[in-house]
Amino acid sequence: MAERSTAAVDVADNSGDEPLTAKADEATADGTAEAQETEGTSPQDTDGERSPSETASATPDLHSGHKLARRYRLEECVTRLDGFSSWRAVDEKLRRAVGVHLLPADHPRARSVLAAARSSALLGDPRFVQVLDAVEEDDLVYVVHEWLPDATELTALLAAGPMDAHDAYQLVSQVAQAMAAAHREGLAHLRLTPGAVLRSSTGQYRIRGLAVNAALRGIAADGPQRADTEAIGALLYAALTQRWPYEVDAYGLTGLPKGVGLLAPDQVRAGVHRGLSEIAMRALANDGATASRQEQPCTTPDELAKAVAAMPRIRPPEPSFTAPPEYQRTTYQQGSFGRPPTTPGGAATQPVMPAPPAPLQSRTGKALKWAVSALLIAALGLGSWQLAETLLDRGNDSGGTGTTQTNPENGDKNIPAPAKPLRIAGATEFMPGGSGIKQEDAPDAVDGKPDTAWITPQYQGYANFGNLPNRKQGSGIVVDLGRVQDVSGFTIKMYRSGQKAEVLAADENASTPSSLSDFPQRLTKIGTVGSSLEEKLDKPVRTRYILIHITELPPDGAAGLFRGGISEISVRG
C-alpha cells in the first residue's frame, strides 16, 4: 500500500471534543458523528472508527481504482464521516496527486458544498490549498483540490513540542494575513483547526478547506470573522505552550486545568515571548476572557494581522555551534611505555625529567659557539642576496607587462581575491501559483551532476507553461545559500536552449521568499537564453536566496509542445 499522507486532504477532526468555535459546532448536524471519533487517533485512521453499517447508507459505495470523469482515479480513502468521504487520488490527465471529497448528490449539504468549493476556487490565493474542480455527476458531488506531499500538518509540528518565538510569529502572521484576504472576498473558514494548517518544506504556511470544511460538516456562525480570529488565537496559543486554550483535550493537546479560566501563555510556560502572548490573548478575548495590559481585543483577522505587523520583528534564532572537544595528548599505551610508574603503595608518581647538560664553559666551547654564529649570519646574508637578485631578474624579464601585486588606482592595496564557489544548502521549486511541478526533482539542479536535472512536464499550445492560471508567473528554482553571503556571479546550465528566463535575488532580511515580490534585486535582464546563463556582477549582492525564474519554455519536438528545465546551478562569492 502506498504511504499515507494528510498533507493535502482535509480529514475528520480527531479531537472527539468541543471544537474551536464551540458555539458554531453545537448547531451542526454532524456533531454526533464527530463525537464518535477517537481522541489521539491519526486523522487518516478515523475511517476505521465507524462500522460499515453506519456509513454504507450515506456514503457512496466506491473503491480504490474507481475513476471520476475518466480522469480522477481514487487511490485510498482517508476519511469516512457523516455521509461524505475523502480520498487520495491521481489526476491521470496531468499526472499528479490530488485530494477528492465525495458525497451523494441528494445529501442535504451537497448544494452548499458545491457553492463553497466554487467560491473558494475563485479566490486563487496561493496561501490556501487550491480547489481544482467542483462537479455534480452521476448522482455524485465531488470536490477536487491540491495534494501537497511535502507539507506537514500543524498537528504534527505541535506534537514535537512548542514552537520558538520566530516560528510562532511566522505562523500567526501568515495565517492572519491569509484569512484577512479571504474575509475581504466574503469567505470564512469556520473550521480553522491545527489539522487545517500546513507548513511546506520552504516554511510557507498553507490553509486547506477554506469554506469547504465547514460546508461538509454544516457549520455556520453568526460572527464568522470573530470565529476565525479566535481560531487563529487558539493556534498561536497552542504553538507557544503546546496546550489547547480550553478546558478540554483536543487535537492531541492537553487542555487547561478546569476552573482556572484562560491563562496567558507566558503564565502557562516559562520563556514565552511577551508580545506574542499578548497577541494570543487579544485574539482569544471572548466570553469573559480579557486581553492583558488593557489592550483592545482583535475581533477580525484584519485587526489581528495589523496588531502582529505593529510588533517589533522577531528574528530567527542564531544557529548554535557545538564547541570542539579539548585537545588531549595521546600516548602509546602498550606495555609500560607512556604509563606513570607506581609506588609500592599504589600511588602514581610524577615522571622525573632528566636535567639538561651543563653549557660548555671551556675555551673550546666558546670558540665553537662563535664559529656557529658566524656561519649562520653568513648563510642568512647569502640567502637574502640571492632572493633579491632573483626578484630583480624576474622584473627585468617581464618588462613591466606581467601581473603585479598592486593596484595602480589604490596604491599598495592588494587586488581583490578571485571569486570562489559558494556552497549551496538546498534548492526548492518556485511555486508562485501555490502548486508545484516537479518539486522532488529540484535538488537535481544543484547536485553537481550534469546528467541530472529539474525538468518540467510537456505543455501543450502555449510556451508560457500551457497558459494555465496557476502558472501565470512561471516557475523555476530557488537556491538557498544557507546564510546571507556576497554573491559576485553564477553559472546556470539550462536543460534546453531557448528558454526565457531571468535571475533575481531576495533581500538579505528575507526568511522564506515565495513570490516574485520577495525577489526585488534583479541580477540579469529577462530574455531568451542559450544552453547556459553565466554572469559576473559588477558589484556583489548580499543575499541568501537566488531565483532562476523561467517564464517561457522552448519547443519540444512536435509543434505546439513545450518543455524546459535547469540542469545545474553554481554560485560564486
Side-chain angles (χ1 to χ4, degrees), residues 147-394:
W147 179 279
L148 307 179
D150 65 333
T152 306
E153 276 189 11
L154 182 59
T155 308
L157 297 175
L158 295 179
M163 294 183 173
D164 61 42
H166 177 261
D167 287 342
Y169 172 81
Q170 291 293 329
L171 168 68
V172 67
S173 176
Q174 294 184 32
V175 173
Q177 291 177 17
M179 288 309 305
H183 278 281
R184 283 194 292 269
E185 299 298 327
L187 292 173
H189 197 290
L190 303 182
R191 188 70 181 174
L192 200 54
T193 67
V197 179
L198 312 171
R199 187 171 71 180
S200 68
S201 57
T202 60
Q204 184 74 23
Y205 286 94
R206 305 281 300 276
I207 302 172
R208 65 183 175 193
L210 178 66
V212 177
N213 281 11
L216 284 168
R217 294 166 173 81
I219 299 175
D222 295 333
Q225 295 208 51
R226 172 62 258 179
D228 282 343
T229 306
E230 185 179 354
I232 300 172
L235 296 178
L236 175 59
Y237 194 104
L240 295 172
T241 65
Q242 203 184 12
R243 300 286 293 268
W244 193 238
Y246 301 98
E247 294 181 353
V248 293
D249 298 342
Y251 313 108
L253 301 172
T254 304
L256 297 179
K258 295 184 179 181
V260 299
L262 180 61
L263 300 174
D266 56 359
Q267 295 177 355
V268 175
R269 175 176 167 264
V272 171
H273 189 279
R274 177 66 63 84
L276 291 175
S277 177
E278 293 181 359
I279 289 291
M281 293 298 289
R282 292 176 65 183
L284 284 168
N286 199 6
D287 293 340
T290 56
S292 59
R293 291 197 176 185
Q294 306 301 319
E295 295 281 359
Q296 290 295 322
C298 299
T299 59
T300 68
D302 188 58
E303 291 179 359
L304 182 59
K306 291 178 179 178
V308 175
M311 290 178 55
R313 184 177 179 182
I314 302 175
R315 295 188 176 275
E318 293 293 334
S320 58
F321 297 96
T322 304
E326 293 184 1
Y327 173 76
Q328 295 181 353
R329 185 182 299 274
T330 59
T331 57
Y332 186 73
Q333 297 296 328
Q334 184 175 353
S336 60
F337 184 81
R339 297 180 182 174
T342 58
T343 62
T349 61
Q350 295 293 332
V352 179
M353 300 298 295
L360 296 175
Q361 299 296 333
S362 65
R363 184 176 299 176
T364 304
K366 290 182 179 179
L368 182 59
K369 180 172 65 176
W370 283 109
V372 172
S373 300
L375 288 174
L376 289 175
I377 293 173
L380 289 173
L382 180 61
S384 300
W385 176 76
Q386 289 179 342
L387 177 61
E389 186 179 27
T390 302
L391 293 176
L392 289 174
D393 290 343
R394 289 183 179 179

